[in-house]
Amino acid sequence: MINRTILSKLTGDFGIGKVLIIIGARQVGKTTLVETLAAGRQRVLMLNCDNMDDRMALENKTTTQLRAMVDGHDMVFIDEAQRVAGIGLVIKMIGDMHLDTPVVVTGSSSLDLADGIYESAAGRHVDYQLFPLSVEELVAHTSEREERRMLETRLIYGTYPEVVVSPADARRRLMTLSNDYLYKDILSYKGLKKPEVLQKLLRALALQVGSEVSYNELSGLLGIDKATVENYISLLEKCFVIFRLDSFSRNLRNEIKKGKKVYFYDNGIRNAIISNFAPPELRGDMGALWENFMVSERRKRHAYHDTYTQMYFWRTHEQKEIDLVEETDGRLSAYEFKWSGRVRATMPAAFAKSYPGSTFEVITPDNYVKFLSRPE
């Protein structure tokens, strides 16, 4: 099951002189997506840069050598490109050739990939991020009724492709993903000195989903300085394990202006980190799981449909709060996430007064599919 929105874009005009870059966590389907793109092409060059021979084929090469390698192919696929030393320069050189041949680069980490590309290959690439399967994709593959039936399963086990395809083996596959694949790029990163601290940090973040994160508190909990906490969280972001939301603040003096929340791209990974796959009726964190699922799914929606929407949370020092505030073309939309449809919520008066014209909606299991569907 491949994201149809991305696929429709990729099968069109790649753009002369542009390199297509697909980034995302390991095991989300990047290789499957590229194989679909390559279907029907007769001469495809596939380089897997986890393989040293393929990696060396790209490193320290001249433009002439790169052109000779690419010439004669209908498509070039460079997988796990972050492994290549100087990948940014390689992409710049390929882009400068203005080839008719589509060149697709994938990476499961932006630790080295993004830094090298944006420094050396600015303007020569088009980027797409691939996520675990979205609710929109799953509904399109089965039906809205079926996806609603599977909601509790999604909240506990997430939407990684192999978990969705093999639900009976979901627990083992998620533990393997979180233990073997999740940290592969981070643990090989030259700046990481204390991998055991990273794992403790992830557990702490998993237990604080939906709450504002304090770097000072995490520093004291883990016995490391605040700068190291921020650095490790940044590494986890660059490997597509977590993402941050900033606090929204424009008018009120008592708004929290520098706060951050941390969410996981996948609920199943979050639950694997804390080793808790208990069913909803035995959990005390369903509100947090619901919020994480809604925020991460909404992030996918905006990315896949190019809405250019900014996402925030809102809170005052008096603990008035809104789970999600979105800004699109100057318009503000506020959302509150309630796992129980019986719980009522209204827009805080302070927010309504400061931001007139803003919309407000409570998202529950009754209306979440529409919330996550294609924009009208």
Side-chain angles (χ1 to χ4, degrees):
M1 291 177 283
I2 300 168
N3 181 273
R4 299 179 183 183
T5 303
I6 286 188
L7 188 59
S8 65
K9 294 177 181 178
L10 303 191
T11 52
D13 181 13
F14 283 87
I16 300 299
K18 299 287 187 180
V19 176
L20 179 67
I21 298 175
I22 305 171
I23 56 176
R26 290 179 178 272
Q27 308 296 309
V28 294
K30 297 185 299 296
T31 302
T32 302
L33 175 58
V34 172
E35 288 173 349
T36 303
L37 289 173
R41 301 177 188 267
Q42 299 299 313
R43 296 161 296 177
V44 178
L45 175 62
M46 290 199 174
L47 301 173
N48 182 347
C49 298
D50 276 336
N51 183 305
M52 182 176 291
D53 289 340
D54 288 349
R55 196 160 62 238
M56 295 302 294
L58 293 167
E59 293 181 356
N60 301 313
K61 293 298 185 291
T62 66
T63 300
T64 301
Q65 290 172 316
L66 288 173
R67 185 183 292 276
M69 180 176 65
V70 170
D71 274 349
H73 293 94
D74 299 326
M75 180 180 177
V76 177
F77 170 35
I78 303 173
D79 193 17
E80 299 300 343
Q82 75 275 2
R83 301 288 189 204
V84 178
I87 184 60
L89 181 58
V90 171
I91 291 175
K92 176 183 182 296
M93 293 165 67
I94 293 175
D96 285 342
M97 296 178 195
H98 294 276
L99 301 170
D100 292 327
T101 303
V103 179
V104 182
V105 174
T106 74
S108 58
S109 160
S110 61
L111 290 171
D112 297 308
L113 183 60
D115 294 341
I117 289 171
Y118 294 119
E119 179 180 343
S120 304
R124 295 169 176 84
H125 55 92
V126 179
D127 299 353
Y128 294 99
Q129 184 172 352
L130 196 63
F131 303 88
L133 294 168
S134 68
V135 166
E136 183 182 352
E137 290 176 277
L138 292 166
V139 167
H141 183 72
T142 55
S143 67
E144 180 176 332
R145 179 182 180 184
E146 175 63 13
E147 197 50 37
R148 286 181 179 278
R149 188 183 71 82
M150 295 295 295
L151 177 58
E152 291 187 358
T153 299
R154 305 290 185 237
L155 291 174
I156 305 301
Y157 294 103
T159 61
Y160 265 79
E162 62 181 87
V163 171
V164 171
V165 171
S166 304
D169 199 28
R171 184 188 300 247
R172 184 189 66 81
R173 290 174 183 269
L174 282 167
M175 295 305 294
T176 299
L177 276 170
S178 63
N179 292 329
D180 295 346
Y181 293 110
L182 195 63
Y183 311 123
K184 185 173 183 180
D185 295 301
I186 307 175
L187 295 179
S188 65
Y189 187 58
K190 57 183 178 295
L192 185 63
K193 299 177 181 179
K194 298 180 179 180
E196 69 282 359
V197 173
L198 181 74
Q199 293 171 339
K200 291 179 181 178
L201 172 61
L202 262 175
R203 182 174 175 82
L205 293 174
L207 293 172
Q208 293 183 31
V209 162
S211 301
E212 190 177 347
V213 169
S214 168
Y215 295 153
N216 287 327
E217 289 182 9
L218 289 171
S219 171
L221 177 66
L222 300 173
I224 57 178
D225 60 73
K226 179 182 174 182
T228 301
V229 170
E230 291 190 66
N231 181 48
Y232 280 13
I233 288 178
S234 179
L235 293 179
L236 289 166
E237 270 195 304
K238 290 180 177 180
C239 286
F240 311 110
V241 180
I242 62 173
F243 61 94
R244 285 177 277 193
L245 286 193
D246 293 329
S247 56
F248 181 84
S249 175
R250 297 288 170 81
N251 294 326
L252 289 177
R253 291 176 60 186
N254 65 341
E255 286 176 327
I256 291 175
K257 297 176 173 58
K258 296 183 179 180
K260 293 187 184 297
K261 284 188 177 184
V262 172
Y263 295 95
F264 285 75
Y265 277 109
D266 185 75
N267 275 35
I269 292 296
R270 182 265 183 184
N271 289 330
I273 288 169
I274 62 173
S275 300
N276 185 356
F277 296 103
E281 61 271 18
L282 299 180
R283 304 186 72 102
D285 60 354
M286 285 306 296
L289 285 180
W290 179 243
E291 182 176 335
N292 191 90
F293 190 61
M294 288 298 98
V295 174
S296 60
E297 286 294 318
R298 191 70 169 180
R299 186 179 177 95
K300 297 175 191 178
R301 174 188 182 272
H302 291 315
Y304 287 155
H305 294 294
D306 294 330
T307 64
Y308 303 103
T309 294
Q310 300 298 311
M311 299 173 63
Y312 308 91
F313 73 96
W314 180 83
R315 181 173 291 166
T316 68
H317 291 288
E318 289 76 26
Q319 303 304 307
K320 302 297 183 182
E321 61 182 305
I322 297 175
D323 291 334
L324 179 64
V325 174
E326 296 184 341
E327 183 174 24
T328 308
D329 297 329
R331 300 187 307 274
L332 295 180
S333 303
Y335 301 98
E336 195 69 18
F337 303 118
K338 299 296 183 184
W339 172 241
S340 172
R342 295 187 298 273
V343 178
R344 299 178 63 83
T346 58
M347 180 186 291
F351 188 89
K353 181 178 179 180
S354 295
Y355 307 106
S358 303
T359 62
F360 180 81
E361 188 175 1
V362 179
I363 306 301
T364 72
D366 292 329
N367 62 357
Y368 81 102
V369 173
K370 181 179 179 181
F371 176 66
L372 302 177
S373 298
R374 177 185 294 273
E376 297 179 356

